[in-house]
Amino acid sequence: MRALISTFASIAALVLAPVLAAAPAQAQDRYETEATHAVIMDYDTGQVLFAKDAETPMAPSSMSKMMTVLMVLEAIEAGTLSMDDELPVSEHAWRTGGAASGSSTMFLELGSRARVDDLLRGVIIQSGGDACIVLAEALSGSEAAFADAMTARAHELGLTSANFANATGWPDPDHYISALDLARLARILIRDHPQYYSMWAEREFTYNGIRQYNRNPLLGNFAGADGLKTGHTEAAGYGLVGTAERNGERRIIVFNGMTSNRDRTAEAERMMRAAMSDFAVYDLFAAEAILDQRAAVFMGDADTVGLQVGEDIQVALHRRARRNMTVSVVYEGPLMAPIEAGQEIGRLVVEAPGYEAQDYPLYASETVGRKGMMGRIGAALAHMIRGGS
């Protein structure tokens, strides 16, 4: 269960201009990793719990095969492809992604045909480049055309850092995506295609008499782990997109740039432990909640107006940072009447040590009309006597 904050840790009514919107909170000083790029994400909310160079495009190697799988699953659900379809193994697929390539492979035979069901497991479990290319050619006619389609679809999904040059993650200067977008892609796969998701947790797959094991170091070693994909090239190092669920909470981790398989294994477990134990998503306010604090009004038929949030407000924090979190109401005031219900009149600012401030709009919870003529004259005189300007 997520922690719930029922009262402000600290609240201040400040007569200031509204604070500009800030980036999502990231606990950069609360967790350290030797990975060159890293993200910890809460699955339910999509909140980023930790990030290190997460928005910089990087070479994802085989982790980009998640996008290949997504394209195939969408085609299946659209009815243009079936799990029972048998697809031909071309020379390009065999030579570029098969046994002849020297890369991870499903060991498809040249000129044979393979079921989509088997090919998906060949991609997910065995990381087979040949399986990726067979699927790509079936959907788009060529691997190059499929790569263009992958990029276009990624951008439609909001994965704007992505650019794919192939279906396999083979090194190419035009093949890249950020760690943050890989985390978002993982979230899409889990959320939108649950009927196929169990494949990611399968520990082994045998095809053509050859048994291969899932390379994900979390499977079987971290309770609750059930996906997703490893990656490795000499240029990019060792990477992982991993996810696990415990006590109703799911986390997604992404990292890249480790120097060895052993280091990747150690970092996968360490990062997932931190994701589950050290970070939390706190629910501050439900959508349309009215704050206890009210804003001062000048020249109104009421002296104050209620403050209402417009959306669910949740913040992702390291558990230690929660103790020093502050929540402040910021508005330029006193507010001049009239004020319409629903009018934006201030900001709610959330701050914590080591985090960038987050702020959210606040709206008037009711309408406040202007005073009558005599009331306005009296209010103006009182304001002058108090030294207002």
Side-chain angles (χ1 to χ4, degrees), residues 17 19 21-22 25 50 80 109 113 117 122 146 152 163 185 194 196 204 249 283 286 317 370 377:
V19 176
F50 168 82
T80 57
E109 294 182 357
R113 301 182 74 88
D117 192 342
F146 182 76
N163 193 80
L185 175 56
Y196 302 104
E204 63 179 67
E249 290 189 340
D283 296 323
L317 294 171
R370 294 195 72 187
I377 292 172

Side-chain angles (χ1 to χ4, degrees), residues 3 28 41 95 108 144 159 193 206 219 247 275 277 305 340 384:
Q28 299 288 7
M41 176 180 285
R95 191 173 301 281
L108 293 168
L159 313 178
H193 305 282
T206 300
L219 298 180
N247 302 319
S277 303
V305 63
E340 296 292 331
M384 291 175 63

Side-chain angles (χ1 to χ4, degrees), residues 146-158:
F146 182 76
D148 290 341
M150 288 171 69
T151 301
R153 181 60 179 142
H155 292 178
E156 289 173 356
L157 293 168

Side-chain angles (χ1 to χ4, degrees), residues 6-19:
S6 57
T7 58
F8 291 168
S10 170
I11 194 156
L14 306 175
V15 183
L16 295 172
V19 176

Side-chain angles (χ1 to χ4, degrees), residues 119-133:
L119 290 167
L120 274 173
R121 285 179 166 81
V123 176
I124 291 169
I125 301 167
Q126 300 175 335
S127 198
D130 47 1
C132 290
I133 297 171

Side-chain angles (χ1 to χ4, degrees), residues 139-354:
L139 289 177
S140 298
S142 71
E143 185 181 9
F146 182 76
D148 290 341
M150 288 171 69
T151 301
R153 181 60 179 142
H155 292 178
E156 289 173 356
L157 293 168
L159 313 178
T160 56
S161 73
N163 193 80
F164 300 107
N166 54 64
T168 65
W170 190 258
D172 188 293
D174 292 325
H175 192 95
Y176 46 80
I177 188 172
S178 70
L180 179 57
D181 277 347
L182 279 177
R184 290 167 174 157
L185 175 56
R187 188 167 181 250
I188 291 167
L189 281 164
I190 300 166
R191 182 192 66 202
D192 294 353
H193 305 282
Q195 64 272 45
Y196 302 104
Y197 182 67
S198 62
M199 287 186 185
W200 299 95
E202 293 180 17
R203 301 288 301 281
E204 63 179 67
F205 179 57
T206 300
Y207 187 82
N208 200 20
I210 301 171
R211 177 187 292 180
Q212 296 189 70
Y213 296 92
N214 197 318
R215 295 171 174 82
N216 185 345
L218 291 173
L219 298 180
N221 295 315
F222 190 92
D226 54 11
L228 280 153
K229 193 74 190 72
T230 57
H232 168 248
T233 62
E234 290 299 322
Y238 291 81
L240 172 74
V241 179
T243 183
E245 185 175 22
R246 284 184 177 178
N247 302 319
E249 290 189 340
R250 180 177 289 279
R251 300 285 192 261
I252 297 168
I253 65 171
V254 179
F255 63 86
N256 204 12
M258 302 305 292
T259 57
S260 69
N261 186 38
R262 181 177 179 177
D263 288 344
R264 173 172 63 189
T265 297
E267 186 61 13
E269 294 188 40
R270 192 177 77 93
M271 188 175 290
M272 189 59 82
R273 280 197 303 272
M276 289 294 186
S277 303
D278 296 348
F279 297 92
V281 178
Y282 295 93
D283 296 323
L284 299 188
F285 298 98
E288 301 183 356
I290 298 174
L291 308 188
D292 292 336
Q293 179 144 345
R294 296 174 66 87
V297 177
F298 183 58
M299 292 290 185
D301 57 15
D303 293 332
T304 62
V305 63
L307 296 161
Q308 186 173 38
V309 301
E311 60 184 300
D312 290 337
I313 296 180
Q314 301 165 310
V315 295
L317 294 171
H318 195 283
R319 295 181 191 276
R320 290 193 299 271
R322 162 62 187 94
R323 294 192 295 268
N324 297 312
M325 184 186 74
T326 61
V327 182
S328 305
V329 172
V330 180
Y331 65 97
E332 187 175 3
L335 303 167
M336 180 65 71
I339 298 168
E340 296 292 331
Q343 177 181 333
E344 185 176 336
I345 56 176
R347 310 291 292 182
L348 186 79
V349 181
V350 183
E351 298 176 282

